[in-house]
Amino acid sequence: QNGVMSGLMQMLLLKVSAHITEQLGMAPGGEFREAFKEASKVPFCKFHLGDRPIPVTFKRAIAALSFWQKVKLAWGLCFLSDPISKDDVEKCKQKDLLEQMMAEMIGEFPDLHRTIVSERDIYLTYMLKQAAKQIELPRSSENEPRKYIPAVVVGVVGMGHVPGIEKNWNSELKIQEIMSVPPPSTSSRIFKFVFKVTVLGLLGYGCYRIGRRTVQFVLSLPAAQSYLQRLSELPQQ
């Protein structure tokens, strides 16, 4: 539904998630599931999914990468086998180590970091600020002055997004640009066309070979040869 490249990227990231689950014995995203459970215990608590939709993020990320960057990233995700321990997870909670890991990622895929981290920092900040707006109390008449109460908001985000949210909090944010999906490039359209033609050609050739062997096998059967011989004798009669 979201395109071949986006679908393949989601499959690769699911593989990474399965690798982490296997190594640690727990699935990623447990903090969000726990937050949902706790929110359901609070009366009148509203629960919002505040992250940018995954299809938009994936499409923007894929559009930002060159063809060879896509190949390199897919190769790295396919053969991900580095062991992960709970001590490594605890080390990642240290801000300096986390920033170091992010810096390494920026160096290798700067455009990917921009779409997956920096743009989502802006989106998450925008959604948190919308949720944190003061709540206007109902008035008995139009002449009564407006009264507001502060909203109580708990935001649960990945630790890697905290510095970006702090940085963007006092800025005027607009999310229209980061919600748009750029059109595919010329090279991407050519690659997609060649890929489709290649797949269809291989399928057609495979069907031809299978059909040819099937026909040869059927014609070699005694019953088929007898039937063909009878057909050849019909015009003579």
Side-chain angles (χ1 to χ4, degrees), residues 12 70 88 125 237:
L12 290 173
K70 293 174 187 176
D88 294 332
T125 307
Q237 293 175 0

Side-chain angles (χ1 to χ4, degrees), residues 110-128:
D111 293 326
L112 192 65
H113 177 272
R114 174 177 54 81
T115 53
I116 292 183
V117 180
S118 300
E119 289 183 0
R120 287 174 59 226
D121 288 344
I122 295 172
Y123 189 90
L124 289 166
T125 307
Y126 178 84
M127 295 300 288
L128 279 169

Side-chain angles (χ1 to χ4, degrees), residues 31-67:
E31 66 272 31
F32 304 117
R33 288 186 286 272
E34 194 64 29
F36 178 77
K37 291 178 184 177
E38 293 300 318
S40 62
K41 299 176 184 177
V42 181
F44 307 109
C45 178
K46 294 181 179 180
F47 184 85
H48 294 283
L49 297 174
D51 204 349
R52 185 170 63 178
I54 290 177
V56 176
T57 299
F58 274 155
K59 287 182 179 180
R60 287 186 63 84
I62 291 169
L65 296 176
S66 67
F67 173 76

Side-chain angles (χ1 to χ4, degrees), residues 99-172:
E99 289 178 350
Q100 179 183 348
M101 293 172 62
M102 297 296 283
E104 292 175 359
M105 179 181 168
I106 292 171
E108 193 168 3
F109 297 106
D111 293 326
L112 192 65
H113 177 272
R114 174 177 54 81
T115 53
I116 292 183
V117 180
S118 300
E119 289 183 0
R120 287 174 59 226
D121 288 344
I122 295 172
Y123 189 90
L124 289 166
T125 307
Y126 178 84
M127 295 300 288
L128 279 169
K129 291 181 74 171
Q130 292 296 312
K133 284 184 176 180
Q134 291 185 329
I135 303 171
E136 183 180 355
L137 294 174
R139 295 182 296 168
S140 57
S141 64
E142 293 184 359
N143 296 327
E144 184 179 350
R146 298 176 183 273
K147 295 181 180 180
Y148 300 88
I149 59 172
V152 179
V153 180
V154 177
V156 181
V157 299
M159 186 171 287
H161 292 290
V162 174
I165 292 173
E166 292 176 347
K167 176 184 175 182
N168 292 306
W169 187 259
N170 294 319
S171 304
E172 185 178 352

